[in-house]
Structure formats: C-alpha cells, structure tokens
Amino acid sequence: MGRVKPNPNKKLGGSIMSISQAMMSGVSGLMANSKAVARISYNIANSDTYGFRRSFAQMLTSGATNPSGSVSASGVRAEVVHENTQDGTPLSTGEATNLAISGSGFFAVTRNVNDGTGEPEHYLTRAGDFQPDSEGYLRNAAGMYLGGFPYDETGSLGVIDRNQFSGLETVRIAEMSIAGNPTSEMTLTGNLPSQETGLATPGDPFISSIEYFTPLGAAERLQFSWQPSSTANEWNLSITDSSGATYGSLTATFNDSGALAGTPSGFSGVTSTATAPAAFSFDTSTGIATVTIDNGTTPQTITVDMGAPNSFGGLSQFSGDYVPLTGNADGTQSGSLARAEISNDGIVYGIFDNGMRRALYQIPLATVPNPNGLLTADNATFLISEDSGAFTLAEAGTGTAGEITGGAVESSNVDIAEELTELIQKQRAFSSNAKIITTADEMLDETVRLKR
C-alpha cells in the first residue's frame, strides 16, 4: 500500500485558522481595554462627585466550544465591577443638613416629594449634600429627596416595616411651632433682710416675680410683694399678677435664734382676695400656696413652695443685703422652630426658640447583603437588584449599618493616582493588542501568498 501524501492546502488552512484566532483575540483585547479605559474615564470625571462609587473593568478569559465539547481560549472580555463597599472621605461643610455615612448603608431617596400617601420609586445614594428647598424639603444637588420615618407628637415612630419603603416620608424642616407645657409648680427661695423689720416706720416692700406659662404657651408673671412689719422678724406677703389682679396675702414669721435661726417659724393671717373662679389658699404646715388663675375655660392651678416652717431650703431671713428672691417654675412656652440637628443615629431633632428639643424624623440607612450587586442609575444613585439581595431600612449605628455625620458630605471613593496608573496600563495593553492585529495581518498575507 502506498503512503498517503500530505495535503499542503490542509496545513495552510490550519495556519490561516490559527492566525485568524490570533487576530480575533487581538480584537477582543482592543474591545476589552477600550471598555476599561471608558470606566477609568468615568471614574476620573466623577472624582469630585459627592458620594460617587468607582467601578472598573475586570478582565476575564473568553472561550469557544470545540466540536469535541472542550473549550479553548479565544480572547478576553471585560466585566464591570463596582466598589460600593469602599468609603469616601468625609468633608466638613458646616451645613447641619449635609450628611455623610461612615460604614455600610445608603440614603433612601425619591425623585419627587413623598408625603407618605403613595409609593414612589425609591433609589439609594451616598450623595448627602442635602439642603432645604423653598418648602423645607431636604433635597440634594441631583434633585433627589431624602426619606425618613416621621415621629408623632408623642415622640413615637409607631409600628414600622423596615423591609419596605412605604413608611417613609420626605424629610421636611420648615416653619413649625410646638405647644408649650403649662406651669403647675413653682419654688420660691431667697433671703429677706432682718434689719428691715421691727422699725417704727417700715420701708418700702421688696418685690420679686416669677414667670409661668399658660395652657396656650404664653408667658405671664406672678408678683410677690414682701412688706416688712413693725414687728421684728415679721413680713406681710401679698400676691398679684402682671395685670394687677390680687390673689391673697399672709404673714410670715422667722426664727431669730437657735439652730433654726433664719428659717420660717410659721405662717398666719392667710387671706384670699381672688375673684372667682380665681382662688388662693395656703397650707401653713407645708409652706405651699395654691394659686388658681382664671385664664381659660378651666382655670390654671399653680402651687408655690416657699419652704416648710423650721426648715432650710426655702425662704430665709438673715441680716444683710436683700437678695432678690428667685423662683423656678416648670412648664415651657410655646415655640417656633429655630434650627435642626441630626445625630449620629440619624435622628433629626428640631430645636425650638423656647429651648425645647423634639425628634422629628429618623433617617434610616438602607443595607443590602451585596452592595456591589446594586444596579447603577443616574445622579449617583442605585437600584435594588437580585444580585444585591433584599434591603433593610436599618437605624444608623445598629447592626451592619454605619453612622451618619451631620455637617459633612462624603467624597467619591476614586483615587486619581490609582486611576492614572490603570490608564497607563490599559493604554499599553491596547497598543499591544493592536500590534497583535497588525502582525497577524502581515502573517496572514504571507500565508496567502505562499498558497499562490
């Protein structure tokens, strides 16, 4: 049997196939590195964007299935990978409503104001440059509105489901008022000068007043007039209000010797001069006066503690200068919102001009099992995806959620030096793949000419 002669055309065909594969590998390299350069350019362009998260093109080997079922390498492809878990640098701004996150989590935002009645689409973002708009709603520079859980007037969030967005409302810091708390108790302390008593012609009374608050939050004053008596260590007290209405009077006598010198020895001569439904009474055993003020459908009742007989801590009488009597009253005046503060756990507090501080909203942080699996949207926002997993609206500073810093924003997590280094590497890789194509083209040309 004769020997089978080799077919030169078959060898040339195999060579042409290999060269073509080399050319296609070079083309895939050009495409993959072009995609990588596009990502680098995107990162550099957004290096100053608040809350921006860098992404990069990760190179993966691409393959082709042979008739035998095996897979052979045929080039490269680029897959975009996000770095959503790496924090940017917090930058102080001094603006109370600017917010930066340290650690895991995202702000929940909407494109339009959410009053809690509908279910608008929510996005996630780290861009915390929030400022009140013309109506007081917090919105960042990209036009996204910040969501939070509202507190009711009792300071309760109520029952909320942290696995859905339906309980969120757009955080609003606008003109608002807070009701005051009416005064119900007062204490009166101070020193009366003993040398002013026992004179044939006593001098003028010593007058002091204490501010109290009505049920409507208005500030009023009760006035206490202490008239020294011609009897030593004795004072006559009369109580009026700022309008001149009288409530009552009594006589206070003080000890002048012994261990209890200077303390009240007793009270007597209690007289009510109030016009009903106003009223006045005094408990001589406790030193507590009860004043009923006619300032509403239901009169306001205030107790005034002057100190029990033979005890220190209330009124006193010693020789020396008159020390204006001071009083402490509970209750608060109604107030208007002066400013807002945001704590590390995301609670928005309203600070009112009456000194009161009230929780208005809790800003949750949306956390997901795989932050790098979030879908990228515009305006430095993200959407939940199957790869990211289900979200939880966690309280900042609890579990895996990070903390919120007020008066600051978070910079992008782009490192310019790293991006420029990557850019040089990808440019060289691109040039090398271009060289593969030109070389393969020359080889293919030579091979074809051999066949001729």
Side-chain angles (χ1 to χ4, degrees):
M1 179 180 291
R3 188 177 62 177
V4 178
K5 295 182 179 180
N7 186 348
N9 291 331
K10 183 176 180 181
K11 292 182 179 179
L12 288 177
S15 298
I16 292 174
M17 181 66 69
S18 298
I19 295 172
S20 296
Q21 288 177 345
M23 185 175 291
M24 293 305 298
S25 293
V27 171
S28 70
L30 290 180
M31 295 176 63
N33 283 282
S34 296
K35 191 173 185 178
V37 170
R39 282 287 120 185
I40 294 171
S41 302
Y42 183 54
N43 293 338
I44 294 176
N46 285 278
S47 59
D48 287 331
T49 301
Y50 294 143
F52 176 77
R53 289 292 176 265
R54 77 178 293 266
S55 58
F56 63 93
Q58 182 171 319
M59 300 301 176
L60 301 174
T61 301
S62 63
T65 303
N66 298 320
S68 63
S70 62
V71 178
S72 61
S74 62
V76 66
R77 59 189 175 88
E79 288 292 331
V80 176
V81 177
H82 297 276
E83 286 190 354
N84 295 336
T85 57
Q86 180 180 346
D87 288 359
T89 302
L91 307 173
S92 177
T93 64
E95 294 287 341
T97 55
N98 284 175
L99 305 174
I101 301 173
S102 299
S104 300
F106 299 82
F107 298 115
V109 294
T110 55
R111 293 191 181 276
N112 299 299
V113 172
N114 175 23
D115 60 5
T117 59
E119 293 188 10
E121 184 175 22
H122 281 77
Y123 299 81
L124 308 184
T125 187
R126 300 274 293 206
D129 53 326
F130 297 105
Q131 293 277 6
D133 66 4
S134 60
E135 296 181 351
Y137 295 104
L138 293 192
R139 182 180 64 178
N140 65 15
M144 308 302 287
Y145 289 90
L146 177 64
F149 294 115
Y151 284 91
D152 61 22
E153 293 186 356
T154 66
S156 173
L157 288 175
V159 179
I160 53 178
D161 185 349
R162 294 187 178 273
N163 296 113
Q164 59 180 345
F165 294 114
S166 60
L168 294 176
E169 294 182 9
T170 299
V171 176
R172 188 183 189 194
I173 301 175
E175 292 184 6
M176 66 176 65
S177 59
I178 187 172
N181 297 316
T183 299
S184 61
E185 296 179 353
M186 288 184 182
T187 58
L188 190 62
T189 59
N191 183 66
L192 298 169
S194 62
Q195 72 274 13
E196 296 294 328
T197 64
L199 302 177
T201 305
D204 294 331
F206 295 92
I207 298 174
S208 59
S209 64
I210 303 177
E211 186 177 61
Y212 71 93
F213 304 102
T214 71
L216 294 179
E220 303 288 348
R221 303 191 77 87
L222 281 180
Q223 185 171 284
F224 300 84
S225 176
W226 295 89
Q227 175 64 56
S229 170
S230 57
T231 302
N233 306 310
E234 187 177 275
W235 295 82
N236 296 314
L237 168 65
S238 60
I239 301 175
T240 60
D241 63 18
S242 54
S243 66
T246 61
Y247 290 92
S249 62
L250 58 89
T251 299
T253 305
F254 290 84
N255 294 307
D256 63 358
S257 60
L260 297 176
T263 64
S265 61
F267 301 95
S268 61
V270 178
T271 303
S272 174
T273 57
T275 302
F280 173 79
S281 63
F282 191 89
D283 187 339
T284 57
S285 64
T286 61
I288 297 177
T290 301
V291 180
T292 302
I293 303 170
D294 181 20
N295 56 7
T297 303
T298 300
Q300 179 179 5
T301 300
I302 301 174
T303 61
V304 183
D305 188 354
M306 302 182 191
N310 301 313
S311 67
F312 292 97
L315 293 173
S316 65
Q317 180 204 248
F318 292 101
S319 178
D321 294 334
Y322 167 67
V323 177
L325 302 185
T326 58
N328 294 315
D330 63 358
T332 54
Q333 187 177 9
S334 60
S336 298
L337 183 66
R339 57 189 174 86
E341 292 179 352
I342 303 175
S343 63
N344 289 346
D345 52 3
I347 299 178
V348 181
Y349 290 98
I351 310 301
F352 296 83
D353 57 10
N354 62 354
M356 293 187 68
R357 184 171 183 259
R358 196 183 87 183
L360 304 178
Y361 296 91
Q362 182 191 96
I363 300 172
L365 294 182
T367 61
V368 293
N370 177 25
N372 292 335
L374 292 168
L375 295 176
T376 302
D378 59 349
N379 297 323
T381 61
F382 302 90
L383 291 169
I384 302 296
S385 71
E386 290 186 4
D387 290 338
S388 68
F391 69 90
T392 299
L393 297 175
E395 180 180 351
T398 63
T400 60
E403 292 187 343
I404 295 176
T405 301
V409 293
E410 183 185 4
S411 69
S412 71
N413 62 356
V414 175
D415 184 338
I416 292 294
E418 179 183 359
E419 300 300 328
L420 293 178
T421 301
E422 287 286 329
L423 184 62
I424 293 172
Q425 293 174 345
K426 295 301 182 288
Q427 187 272 333
R428 289 180 177 175
F430 186 91
S431 298
S432 298
N433 281 280
K435 186 64 176 177
I436 290 174
I437 295 174
T438 57
T439 301
D441 179 60
E442 292 174 359
M443 293 174 63
L444 184 61
D445 184 60
E446 289 291 336
T447 302
V448 171
R449 276 186 286 166
L450 283 174
K451 186 177 181 180
R452 291 174 186 171

